[in-house]
Amino acid sequence: MSPSAAPHLVRDADVLVLGGGPAGAWAAIAAAEAGAVVVLADKGYCGTSGSAASGGNNLWYVPPDLALREDAMARREAIAGGLTERRWMARVLDETYRQINRLAGWGYPFPVDDAGVERRSSLQGPEYMRRMRRRVHRSGVLILDHHPALELLADADGAVAGAAGIRRQQGGGRWEARARAVVLATGGCAFLSGAFGLNVDTGDGHLMAAELGAELSGMEFSNAYALSPAYGSHTKGLMMQFASYYDEDGDRLDVGDMTAARRPIARMLADGRQVFARLDKAPPGLREAMRQAQPNYFLPLDKAGIDPFAQSYPVRLVFEGTVRGTGGLRVTGDDCATTVPGLYAAGDVATRELITGSVSGGGSHNGAWAVSSGTWAGAAAAAFAARQRRADRPRAAGRAGLRPYGPAGGGPDAAEVVGAVQEEILPLGRNYFRSSEGLRRSLGALDGLWTSVAAHLTGEGREALRARQAAAMVAHGRWMYRAALAREESRGMHQRVDRPAADPRLAHRVRVGGLDEIWTAAEETREVTA
Amino acid sequence: MIEVVSGERCVGCDRCVQVCPTNVFDSGPGGVPVIARRHDCQTCFMCEAYCPVDALFVAPSPQPVEAGSPLRDEAHLVASGLLGAYRREIGWGRGRTPGALLAVGPDLPGPSGPASGSSRPAASGSPSRPVSEKEHR
């Protein structure tokens, strides 16, 4: 994009929502219900974009029964590593229960069990997001598909004032939406690893927010990997509870249950060994039901001609970054505000430490977080917009990958930058098995890339998105590894081979921020939960 | 990765162009969409789900299959029932029951298990060993 070009599409709104996955959809609905004029822009298509649409997820959906809720929170706290806050867990459980019951009222076909009870604790992705799109549309929200945002707009006081990007199905022309408040729901970052449905998640929103000074938190909890068949990309872990694992010689691996198995499998794969899985623990009587419950686990195997109950198939660990990790933009209050006035964060772009701590929220907690944080952020953005004056001449805030400060070209191009970032971020040996030495080495490479990207990288038309995504991934990698260096211990998914134990003095969250210069700082948890 | 766009089946609705989250297709001159940015395909099968006439096939591999692969052979895909399988499985299309409605079992332990959702007892034969919540998606 040539940033000075006149926009080809200009819209005014009270609330602009960036991202059309579950969090963005819930935010748009909440903002519209609060009376705001809402525009939702998605990089792809609201209904198929985002980690939920292609797969689906269980939900942290617990009926309002004191004992059940207490148990749900206690079980999470037992593994979360002490970074959760019970008040947040309780309100997420409340809000998710309320909103999912509304989804049922809107016609989502929840299954009914043998006892005649509707089961609302799991969502099929395509159906869920098709319904959510319909509801967003019927709420009067203007949906802009294939309108990736590249940058935020800001007013003279530093409050967010909208966003701008490209219309990638209209020749890459520019769009701009002026708004009094913005909800970022752009997802986490999986670094184009090819994980199931996650290539839309490149951390664009984190970069845009950081350019206005937003802070992040929990970025060390960013190394989620999921098991997938080696030839494929579908990472649905649910069925793996029925798996046994084998080595190259067909000998069964004694790796323990599903959680314990992850680390020895990662070690073998990192060392260049092969690991095979077979779902031979699934009782024959259950297999048809398993297929019905998760068709998109079995379909790719069917297509590849593999019967996973009878045949072993090679597996790999696919990187899912901060999509299934927990780190993201720091929220400063119950309304999911960020540290930037008028800017709210919902779903995977925000830190999920408050409800899932240092371990992955998987689909269940992250799915509930999307529903809840989306609802809160949307309503709060509408309220903020009602108080906020329209900015007269907002400034476009995008820098690295969009408006380089030096001459365009002269450094690596977008594809080369992505390749170089992936080399530091994707390998198990670097990111799953972390060490001070390895992190420093990778940071050296990433810092060098950032310098080049900030000075030279940009793209025209549709290529502007690729350049911006590349810049976003470099920034993301640097926050991740700086936070990982600051946490000189092992906790949750963040495992340091040089610091294998947890340090009780580090039972706090780690904030991180900055672009050219990255800083980290401790944040005391307000509640001690472990 | 997207392997087949059947010119014979395609009705030129451009739904795939619209719904592909990574913008792989362009409208084609004769009405049949073209695969314009194949390497952006993320193998998410969403185009298959939305195609009203099962004209698309996405192979499970994130890389292109080899030239002679049966997964590029439309006749094979039809004969084996693979063409349109995803749409059939999720129950989209006239006269079908939404797959979401059938996704009851097995009662998997974990966050949606004993502490949530339903009073239904675990299906017989399902393992009693609880599963880490980390694994759920």
Side-chain angles (χ1 to χ4, degrees), chain A residues 62-119:
Chain A
V62 183
D65 172 294
L66 273 180
L68 290 179
R69 292 266 171 102
E70 170 65 32
D71 179 60
M73 292 189 284
R75 285 198 294 149
R76 175 56 34 166
E77 285 166 351
I79 56 171
L83 305 180
T84 54
E85 291 193 18
R86 182 161 276 226
R87 196 176 61 80
W88 277 85
M89 297 171 115
R91 58 196 293 264
V92 165
L93 285 168
D94 265 348
E95 193 66 55
T96 301
Y97 187 76
R98 182 162 44 239
Q99 298 301 339
I100 291 301
N101 291 346
R102 292 183 73 205
L103 178 66
W106 301 336
Y108 180 92
F110 283 105
V112 178
D113 67 19
D114 299 342
V117 179
E118 245 189 45
R119 295 172 52 113

Short mmCIF file of all heavy atoms in Angstrom, two decimals, chain A residues 62-119:
data_model
loop_
_atom_site.label_atom_id
_atom_site.label_comp_id
_atom_site.label_asym_id
_atom_site.label_seq_id
_atom_site.Cartn_x
_atom_site.Cartn_y
_atom_site.Cartn_z
N VAL A 62 -20.21 -24.38 32.32
CA VAL A 62 -20.53 -25.06 33.57
C VAL A 62 -21.81 -24.44 34.15
O VAL A 62 -21.87 -23.22 34.35
CB VAL A 62 -19.38 -24.91 34.59
CG1 VAL A 62 -19.69 -25.68 35.86
CG2 VAL A 62 -18.07 -25.40 33.98
N PRO A 63 -22.82 -25.25 34.40
CA PRO A 63 -24.07 -24.72 34.96
C PRO A 63 -23.83 -23.99 36.28
O PRO A 63 -22.85 -24.27 36.97
CB PRO A 63 -24.93 -25.97 35.19
CG PRO A 63 -24.35 -27.01 34.29
CD PRO A 63 -22.89 -26.70 34.18
N PRO A 64 -24.71 -23.03 36.60
CA PRO A 64 -24.50 -22.21 37.79
C PRO A 64 -24.80 -22.98 39.08
O PRO A 64 -25.72 -22.65 39.82
CB PRO A 64 -25.47 -21.03 37.59
CG PRO A 64 -26.53 -21.58 36.69
CD PRO A 64 -25.89 -22.61 35.82
N ASP A 65 -24.03 -23.98 39.31
CA ASP A 65 -24.15 -24.77 40.52
C ASP A 65 -22.85 -24.56 41.28
O ASP A 65 -21.77 -24.74 40.73
CB ASP A 65 -24.32 -26.25 40.11
CG ASP A 65 -24.26 -27.19 41.29
OD1 ASP A 65 -23.18 -27.29 41.92
OD2 ASP A 65 -25.28 -27.83 41.57
N LEU A 66 -22.97 -24.14 42.52
CA LEU A 66 -21.79 -23.72 43.27
C LEU A 66 -20.70 -24.77 43.30
O LEU A 66 -19.54 -24.49 43.08
CB LEU A 66 -22.18 -23.35 44.71
CG LEU A 66 -22.63 -21.90 44.92
CD1 LEU A 66 -22.99 -21.66 46.39
CD2 LEU A 66 -21.54 -20.93 44.47
N ALA A 67 -21.10 -26.02 43.54
CA ALA A 67 -20.11 -27.09 43.65
C ALA A 67 -19.44 -27.36 42.31
O ALA A 67 -18.22 -27.56 42.22
CB ALA A 67 -20.77 -28.36 44.18
N LEU A 68 -20.24 -27.35 41.24
CA LEU A 68 -19.67 -27.59 39.90
C LEU A 68 -18.70 -26.47 39.52
O LEU A 68 -17.62 -26.72 38.98
CB LEU A 68 -20.78 -27.69 38.86
CG LEU A 68 -21.68 -28.93 38.90
CD1 LEU A 68 -22.75 -28.85 37.82
CD2 LEU A 68 -20.85 -30.21 38.73
N ARG A 69 -19.10 -25.24 39.79
CA ARG A 69 -18.25 -24.10 39.45
C ARG A 69 -16.96 -24.13 40.27
O ARG A 69 -15.87 -23.91 39.76
CB ARG A 69 -19.00 -22.78 39.70
CG ARG A 69 -20.18 -22.55 38.75
CD ARG A 69 -19.74 -21.73 37.56
NE ARG A 69 -20.77 -21.67 36.53
CZ ARG A 69 -21.58 -20.62 36.33
NH1 ARG A 69 -21.48 -19.55 37.08
NH2 ARG A 69 -22.46 -20.64 35.35
N GLU A 70 -17.11 -24.41 41.54
CA GLU A 70 -15.95 -24.48 42.42
C GLU A 70 -14.97 -25.54 41.91
O GLU A 70 -13.76 -25.32 41.80
CB GLU A 70 -16.43 -24.84 43.84
CG GLU A 70 -15.34 -25.19 44.83
CD GLU A 70 -14.41 -24.02 45.14
OE1 GLU A 70 -14.88 -22.88 45.11
OE2 GLU A 70 -13.21 -24.27 45.40
N ASP A 71 -15.52 -26.69 41.53
CA ASP A 71 -14.69 -27.78 41.04
C ASP A 71 -13.98 -27.38 39.74
O ASP A 71 -12.80 -27.64 39.55
CB ASP A 71 -15.56 -29.03 40.82
CG ASP A 71 -14.74 -30.18 40.28
OD1 ASP A 71 -13.80 -30.59 40.99
OD2 ASP A 71 -15.02 -30.65 39.16
N ALA A 72 -14.71 -26.72 38.84
CA ALA A 72 -14.13 -26.32 37.55
C ALA A 72 -12.95 -25.36 37.77
O ALA A 72 -11.91 -25.47 37.13
CB ALA A 72 -15.19 -25.66 36.67
N MET A 73 -13.12 -24.43 38.70
CA MET A 73 -12.06 -23.45 38.96
C MET A 73 -10.88 -24.11 39.68
O MET A 73 -9.72 -23.87 39.34
CB MET A 73 -12.61 -22.27 39.76
CG MET A 73 -13.60 -21.45 38.95
SD MET A 73 -14.11 -19.89 39.74
CE MET A 73 -15.24 -20.48 40.99
N ALA A 74 -11.19 -24.96 40.63
CA ALA A 74 -10.12 -25.60 41.41
C ALA A 74 -9.28 -26.51 40.52
O ALA A 74 -8.06 -26.57 40.65
CB ALA A 74 -10.73 -26.39 42.57
N ARG A 75 -9.93 -27.19 39.60
CA ARG A 75 -9.17 -28.09 38.72
C ARG A 75 -8.23 -27.30 37.81
O ARG A 75 -7.13 -27.74 37.48
CB ARG A 75 -10.12 -28.95 37.88
CG ARG A 75 -10.76 -30.07 38.71
CD ARG A 75 -11.32 -31.15 37.82
NE ARG A 75 -12.45 -30.67 37.04
CZ ARG A 75 -12.78 -31.12 35.83
NH1 ARG A 75 -12.05 -32.06 35.25
NH2 ARG A 75 -13.82 -30.64 35.20
N ARG A 76 -8.64 -26.16 37.38
CA ARG A 76 -7.77 -25.33 36.56
C ARG A 76 -6.63 -24.76 37.41
O ARG A 76 -5.47 -24.78 37.01
CB ARG A 76 -8.59 -24.22 35.88
CG ARG A 76 -7.82 -23.21 35.09
CD ARG A 76 -6.93 -23.69 33.97
NE ARG A 76 -7.33 -24.84 33.21
CZ ARG A 76 -6.78 -25.20 32.05
NH1 ARG A 76 -5.84 -24.46 31.49
NH2 ARG A 76 -7.16 -26.29 31.43
N GLU A 77 -6.96 -24.28 38.59
CA GLU A 77 -5.92 -23.70 39.45
C GLU A 77 -4.84 -24.72 39.79
O GLU A 77 -3.68 -24.37 39.95
CB GLU A 77 -6.56 -23.17 40.74
CG GLU A 77 -7.31 -21.86 40.52
CD GLU A 77 -8.21 -21.50 41.69
OE1 GLU A 77 -8.39 -22.33 42.61
OE2 GLU A 77 -8.73 -20.38 41.68
N ALA A 78 -5.24 -25.98 39.87
CA ALA A 78 -4.29 -27.02 40.24
C ALA A 78 -3.16 -27.15 39.22
O ALA A 78 -2.07 -27.60 39.56
CB ALA A 78 -5.02 -28.36 40.40
N ILE A 79 -3.42 -26.75 37.97
CA ILE A 79 -2.38 -26.90 36.95
C ILE A 79 -1.92 -25.57 36.37
O ILE A 79 -1.00 -25.52 35.57
CB ILE A 79 -2.86 -27.81 35.79
CG1 ILE A 79 -4.15 -27.27 35.18
CG2 ILE A 79 -3.06 -29.24 36.27
CD1 ILE A 79 -4.57 -27.98 33.90
N ALA A 80 -2.55 -24.47 36.77
CA ALA A 80 -2.35 -23.20 36.06
C ALA A 80 -1.06 -22.49 36.42
O ALA A 80 -0.65 -21.56 35.74
CB ALA A 80 -3.54 -22.26 36.30
N GLY A 81 -0.42 -22.90 37.50
CA GLY A 81 0.84 -22.27 37.85
C GLY A 81 0.68 -20.95 38.58
O GLY A 81 1.60 -20.13 38.61
N GLY A 82 -0.46 -20.74 39.19
CA GLY A 82 -0.60 -19.61 40.12
C GLY A 82 -0.83 -18.26 39.49
O GLY A 82 -0.73 -17.25 40.17
N LEU A 83 -1.12 -18.17 38.22
CA LEU A 83 -1.25 -16.86 37.60
C LEU A 83 -2.69 -16.47 37.29
O LEU A 83 -2.95 -15.44 36.71
CB LEU A 83 -0.42 -16.81 36.31
CG LEU A 83 1.06 -17.17 36.49
CD1 LEU A 83 1.80 -17.08 35.16
CD2 LEU A 83 1.74 -16.28 37.51
N THR A 84 -3.61 -17.33 37.69
CA THR A 84 -5.02 -17.05 37.41
C THR A 84 -5.60 -16.12 38.48
O THR A 84 -5.00 -15.91 39.53
CB THR A 84 -5.83 -18.36 37.42
OG1 THR A 84 -5.58 -19.03 38.66
CG2 THR A 84 -5.42 -19.26 36.27
N GLU A 85 -6.78 -15.59 38.19
CA GLU A 85 -7.52 -14.85 39.20
C GLU A 85 -8.93 -15.41 39.26
O GLU A 85 -9.63 -15.46 38.25
CB GLU A 85 -7.52 -13.35 38.87
CG GLU A 85 -6.14 -12.74 39.02
CD GLU A 85 -6.14 -11.22 39.01
OE1 GLU A 85 -7.21 -10.61 39.22
OE2 GLU A 85 -5.05 -10.66 38.80
N ARG A 86 -9.31 -15.83 40.43
CA ARG A 86 -10.57 -16.53 40.58
C ARG A 86 -11.78 -15.67 40.21
O ARG A 86 -12.74 -16.14 39.63
CB ARG A 86 -10.71 -17.05 42.02
CG ARG A 86 -11.98 -17.82 42.20
CD ARG A 86 -11.94 -18.70 43.41
NE ARG A 86 -11.29 -19.96 43.11
CZ ARG A 86 -11.79 -21.15 43.49
NH1 ARG A 86 -12.91 -21.21 44.16
NH2 ARG A 86 -11.16 -22.25 43.20
N ARG A 87 -11.68 -14.39 40.49
CA ARG A 87 -12.79 -13.51 40.14
C ARG A 87 -13.03 -13.53 38.63
O ARG A 87 -14.16 -13.54 38.16
CB ARG A 87 -12.48 -12.09 40.61
CG ARG A 87 -13.66 -11.15 40.65
CD ARG A 87 -13.25 -9.80 41.23
NE ARG A 87 -12.22 -9.17 40.41
CZ ARG A 87 -12.48 -8.50 39.28
NH1 ARG A 87 -13.73 -8.40 38.85
NH2 ARG A 87 -11.51 -7.96 38.58
N TRP A 88 -11.93 -13.53 37.86
CA TRP A 88 -12.06 -13.59 36.40
C TRP A 88 -12.61 -14.94 35.96
O TRP A 88 -13.41 -15.02 35.04
CB TRP A 88 -10.70 -13.33 35.74
CG TRP A 88 -10.39 -11.87 35.61
CD1 TRP A 88 -9.81 -11.07 36.55
CD2 TRP A 88 -10.65 -11.03 34.48
NE1 TRP A 88 -9.69 -9.79 36.06
CE2 TRP A 88 -10.19 -9.74 34.79
CE3 TRP A 88 -11.22 -11.25 33.23
CZ2 TRP A 88 -10.29 -8.66 33.91
CZ3 TRP A 88 -11.31 -10.18 32.33
CH2 TRP A 88 -10.85 -8.90 32.68
N MET A 89 -12.13 -16.00 36.60
CA MET A 89 -12.65 -17.32 36.21
C MET A 89 -14.16 -17.37 36.43
O MET A 89 -14.91 -17.84 35.58
CB MET A 89 -11.97 -18.41 37.04
CG MET A 89 -10.48 -18.52 36.83
SD MET A 89 -9.77 -19.67 38.06
CE MET A 89 -9.21 -20.94 36.99
N ALA A 90 -14.59 -16.86 37.58
CA ALA A 90 -16.01 -16.92 37.92
C ALA A 90 -16.84 -16.11 36.92
O ALA A 90 -17.90 -16.55 36.48
CB ALA A 90 -16.23 -16.40 39.35
N ARG A 91 -16.34 -14.93 36.56
CA ARG A 91 -17.17 -14.13 35.65
C ARG A 91 -17.14 -14.67 34.22
O ARG A 91 -18.10 -14.52 33.47
CB ARG A 91 -16.82 -12.63 35.73
CG ARG A 91 -15.41 -12.23 35.43
CD ARG A 91 -15.11 -10.80 35.93
NE ARG A 91 -15.85 -9.78 35.19
CZ ARG A 91 -15.37 -9.10 34.15
NH1 ARG A 91 -14.12 -9.31 33.73
NH2 ARG A 91 -16.10 -8.20 33.53
N VAL A 92 -16.04 -15.34 33.83
CA VAL A 92 -16.03 -15.99 32.52
C VAL A 92 -17.03 -17.16 32.50
O VAL A 92 -17.79 -17.34 31.54
CB VAL A 92 -14.61 -16.47 32.15
CG1 VAL A 92 -14.65 -17.47 30.99
CG2 VAL A 92 -13.73 -15.28 31.78
N LEU A 93 -17.05 -17.92 33.58
CA LEU A 93 -18.02 -19.02 33.64
C LEU A 93 -19.46 -18.49 33.57
O LEU A 93 -20.30 -19.04 32.86
CB LEU A 93 -17.82 -19.83 34.93
CG LEU A 93 -16.59 -20.76 34.92
CD1 LEU A 93 -16.30 -21.28 36.33
CD2 LEU A 93 -16.78 -21.91 33.94
N ASP A 94 -19.71 -17.41 34.28
CA ASP A 94 -21.04 -16.78 34.27
C ASP A 94 -21.44 -16.32 32.87
O ASP A 94 -22.51 -16.63 32.37
CB ASP A 94 -21.03 -15.53 35.17
CG ASP A 94 -21.53 -15.83 36.56
OD1 ASP A 94 -22.10 -16.91 36.77
OD2 ASP A 94 -21.35 -14.95 37.44
N GLU A 95 -20.55 -15.54 32.28
CA GLU A 95 -20.87 -14.91 30.99
C GLU A 95 -20.99 -15.96 29.89
O GLU A 95 -21.87 -15.87 29.02
CB GLU A 95 -19.79 -13.87 30.63
CG GLU A 95 -20.17 -12.96 29.49
CD GLU A 95 -21.33 -12.04 29.84
OE1 GLU A 95 -21.24 -11.33 30.85
OE2 GLU A 95 -22.34 -12.04 29.10
N THR A 96 -20.10 -16.93 29.90
CA THR A 96 -20.14 -17.97 28.87
C THR A 96 -21.45 -18.75 28.96
O THR A 96 -22.10 -19.02 27.94
CB THR A 96 -18.94 -18.93 29.04
OG1 THR A 96 -17.73 -18.16 28.94
CG2 THR A 96 -18.94 -20.00 27.97
N TYR A 97 -21.83 -19.08 30.18
CA TYR A 97 -23.09 -19.81 30.36
C TYR A 97 -24.26 -19.00 29.80
O TYR A 97 -25.09 -19.50 29.04
CB TYR A 97 -23.28 -20.10 31.85
CG TYR A 97 -24.47 -20.99 32.13
CD1 TYR A 97 -24.40 -22.37 31.90
CD2 TYR A 97 -25.65 -20.46 32.64
CE1 TYR A 97 -25.49 -23.18 32.14
CE2 TYR A 97 -26.74 -21.27 32.89
CZ TYR A 97 -26.67 -22.63 32.64
OH TYR A 97 -27.74 -23.44 32.89
N ARG A 98 -24.28 -17.72 30.14
CA ARG A 98 -25.38 -16.87 29.69
C ARG A 98 -25.40 -16.75 28.16
O ARG A 98 -26.43 -16.91 27.53
CB ARG A 98 -25.21 -15.48 30.34
CG ARG A 98 -26.30 -14.50 30.01
CD ARG A 98 -26.35 -13.32 30.99
NE ARG A 98 -25.04 -12.77 31.30
CZ ARG A 98 -24.54 -12.70 32.53
NH1 ARG A 98 -25.23 -13.15 33.55
NH2 ARG A 98 -23.35 -12.18 32.73
N GLN A 99 -24.25 -16.50 27.57
CA GLN A 99 -24.22 -16.25 26.12
C GLN A 99 -24.45 -17.53 25.32
O GLN A 99 -25.09 -17.50 24.26
CB GLN A 99 -22.90 -15.58 25.72
CG GLN A 99 -22.67 -14.22 26.35
CD GLN A 99 -23.76 -13.21 26.01
OE1 GLN A 99 -24.49 -13.36 25.03
NE2 GLN A 99 -23.90 -12.19 26.83
N ILE A 100 -23.92 -18.65 25.78
CA ILE A 100 -24.12 -19.89 25.03
C ILE A 100 -25.59 -20.31 25.08
O ILE A 100 -26.12 -20.86 24.11
CB ILE A 100 -23.19 -21.00 25.56
CG1 ILE A 100 -21.73 -20.65 25.21
CG2 ILE A 100 -23.55 -22.37 24.99
CD1 ILE A 100 -21.45 -20.48 23.72
N ASN A 101 -26.26 -19.98 26.15
CA ASN A 101 -27.69 -20.25 26.20
C ASN A 101 -28.45 -19.37 25.20
O ASN A 101 -29.45 -19.79 24.62
CB ASN A 101 -28.23 -20.08 27.62
CG ASN A 101 -27.70 -21.17 28.54
OD1 ASN A 101 -27.17 -22.18 28.07
ND2 ASN A 101 -27.83 -20.96 29.84
N ARG A 102 -27.94 -18.16 24.98
CA ARG A 102 -28.53 -17.32 23.93
C ARG A 102 -28.28 -17.94 22.56
O ARG A 102 -29.16 -17.94 21.69
CB ARG A 102 -27.94 -15.91 23.98
CG ARG A 102 -28.32 -15.12 25.21
CD ARG A 102 -27.75 -13.71 25.13
NE ARG A 102 -28.43 -12.88 24.15
CZ ARG A 102 -27.89 -11.84 23.53
NH1 ARG A 102 -26.64 -11.49 23.77
NH2 ARG A 102 -28.57 -11.14 22.66
N LEU A 103 -27.07 -18.46 22.36
CA LEU A 103 -26.75 -19.11 21.08
C LEU A 103 -27.74 -20.25 20.80
O LEU A 103 -28.17 -20.45 19.67
CB LEU A 103 -25.31 -19.63 21.12
CG LEU A 103 -24.80 -20.37 19.88
CD1 LEU A 103 -24.70 -19.43 18.67
CD2 LEU A 103 -23.43 -21.02 20.15
N ALA A 104 -28.08 -20.98 21.85
CA ALA A 104 -29.07 -22.05 21.69
C ALA A 104 -30.40 -21.44 21.25
O ALA A 104 -31.09 -21.97 20.37
CB ALA A 104 -29.23 -22.81 23.01
N GLY A 105 -30.75 -20.32 21.84
CA GLY A 105 -31.99 -19.65 21.46
C GLY A 105 -31.98 -19.15 20.02
O GLY A 105 -33.03 -19.04 19.39
N TRP A 106 -30.80 -18.85 19.51
CA TRP A 106 -30.70 -18.40 18.12
C TRP A 106 -30.73 -19.58 17.15
O TRP A 106 -30.62 -19.40 15.94
CB TRP A 106 -29.39 -17.62 17.89
CG TRP A 106 -29.25 -16.41 18.76
CD1 TRP A 106 -30.26 -15.70 19.34
CD2 TRP A 106 -28.03 -15.77 19.16
NE1 TRP A 106 -29.74 -14.66 20.08
CE2 TRP A 106 -28.36 -14.67 19.98
CE3 TRP A 106 -26.68 -16.00 18.90
CZ2 TRP A 106 -27.42 -13.83 20.54
CZ3 TRP A 106 -25.72 -15.17 19.44
CH2 TRP A 106 -26.09 -14.09 20.27
N GLY A 107 -30.82 -20.77 17.67
CA GLY A 107 -31.02 -21.92 16.80
C GLY A 107 -29.83 -22.83 16.58
O GLY A 107 -29.89 -23.75 15.77
N TYR A 108 -28.73 -22.60 17.32
CA TYR A 108 -27.61 -23.54 17.14
C TYR A 108 -28.09 -24.94 17.52
O TYR A 108 -28.67 -25.14 18.59
CB TYR A 108 -26.41 -23.15 18.02
CG TYR A 108 -25.25 -24.12 17.83
CD1 TYR A 108 -24.27 -23.88 16.88
CD2 TYR A 108 -25.18 -25.30 18.57
CE1 TYR A 108 -23.24 -24.79 16.68
CE2 TYR A 108 -24.16 -26.22 18.37
CZ TYR A 108 -23.20 -25.96 17.43
OH TYR A 108 -22.19 -26.86 17.22
N PRO A 109 -27.86 -25.92 16.66
CA PRO A 109 -28.39 -27.27 16.91
C PRO A 109 -27.53 -28.07 17.90
O PRO A 109 -26.77 -28.94 17.51
CB PRO A 109 -28.38 -27.91 15.52
CG PRO A 109 -27.25 -27.24 14.80
CD PRO A 109 -27.17 -25.84 15.35
N PHE A 110 -27.68 -27.76 19.17
CA PHE A 110 -26.94 -28.53 20.17
C PHE A 110 -27.49 -29.96 20.20
O PHE A 110 -28.70 -30.17 20.08
CB PHE A 110 -27.07 -27.89 21.56
CG PHE A 110 -26.21 -26.69 21.75
CD1 PHE A 110 -26.76 -25.41 21.75
CD2 PHE A 110 -24.84 -26.83 21.92
CE1 PHE A 110 -25.95 -24.29 21.92
CE2 PHE A 110 -24.03 -25.71 22.09
CZ PHE A 110 -24.58 -24.44 22.09
N PRO A 111 -26.60 -30.94 20.39
CA PRO A 111 -27.07 -32.32 20.43
C PRO A 111 -27.84 -32.61 21.72
O PRO A 111 -27.64 -31.96 22.73
CB PRO A 111 -25.77 -33.13 20.37
CG PRO A 111 -24.72 -32.22 20.89
CD PRO A 111 -25.15 -30.82 20.54
N VAL A 112 -28.71 -33.56 21.62
CA VAL A 112 -29.51 -33.99 22.77
C VAL A 112 -29.06 -35.40 23.14
O VAL A 112 -28.94 -36.26 22.28
CB VAL A 112 -31.01 -33.98 22.42
CG1 VAL A 112 -31.84 -34.46 23.61
CG2 VAL A 112 -31.45 -32.59 21.98
N ASP A 113 -28.77 -35.60 24.42
CA ASP A 113 -28.26 -36.91 24.81
C ASP A 113 -29.40 -37.89 25.09
O ASP A 113 -30.58 -37.56 24.95
CB ASP A 113 -27.29 -36.79 26.00
CG ASP A 113 -27.99 -36.35 27.27
OD1 ASP A 113 -29.22 -36.47 27.36
OD2 ASP A 113 -27.29 -35.87 28.19
N ASP A 114 -29.02 -39.10 25.47
CA ASP A 114 -30.01 -40.17 25.67
C ASP A 114 -31.07 -39.79 26.70
O ASP A 114 -32.21 -40.25 26.64
CB ASP A 114 -29.31 -41.46 26.13
CG ASP A 114 -28.32 -41.94 25.09
OD1 ASP A 114 -28.42 -41.50 23.92
OD2 ASP A 114 -27.42 -42.74 25.43
N ALA A 115 -30.66 -38.94 27.65
CA ALA A 115 -31.60 -38.56 28.70
C ALA A 115 -32.47 -37.38 28.27
O ALA A 115 -33.25 -36.86 29.06
CB ALA A 115 -30.82 -38.21 29.97
N GLY A 116 -32.29 -36.95 27.03
CA GLY A 116 -33.10 -35.84 26.53
C GLY A 116 -32.56 -34.48 26.92
O GLY A 116 -33.24 -33.46 26.77
N VAL A 117 -31.33 -34.43 27.41
CA VAL A 117 -30.73 -33.17 27.85
C VAL A 117 -29.86 -32.61 26.72
O VAL A 117 -29.06 -33.33 26.12
CB VAL A 117 -29.85 -33.40 29.10
CG1 VAL A 117 -29.20 -32.09 29.54
CG2 VAL A 117 -30.69 -33.99 30.22
N GLU A 118 -30.07 -31.32 26.42
CA GLU A 118 -29.22 -30.67 25.42
C GLU A 118 -27.82 -30.50 25.98
O GLU A 118 -27.65 -30.02 27.10
CB GLU A 118 -29.79 -29.30 25.07
CG GLU A 118 -30.26 -29.24 23.64
CD GLU A 118 -30.61 -27.83 23.22
OE1 GLU A 118 -29.85 -26.89 23.51
OE2 GLU A 118 -31.66 -27.69 22.58
N ARG A 119 -26.84 -30.85 25.19
CA ARG A 119 -25.44 -30.73 25.65
C ARG A 119 -24.81 -29.51 24.99
O ARG A 119 -24.63 -29.48 23.78
CB ARG A 119 -24.68 -32.01 25.34
CG ARG A 119 -25.25 -33.19 26.13
CD ARG A 119 -24.63 -34.47 25.69
NE ARG A 119 -23.18 -34.37 25.71
CZ ARG A 119 -22.40 -35.04 26.55
NH1 ARG A 119 -22.92 -35.87 27.41
NH2 ARG A 119 -21.10 -34.91 26.51
#
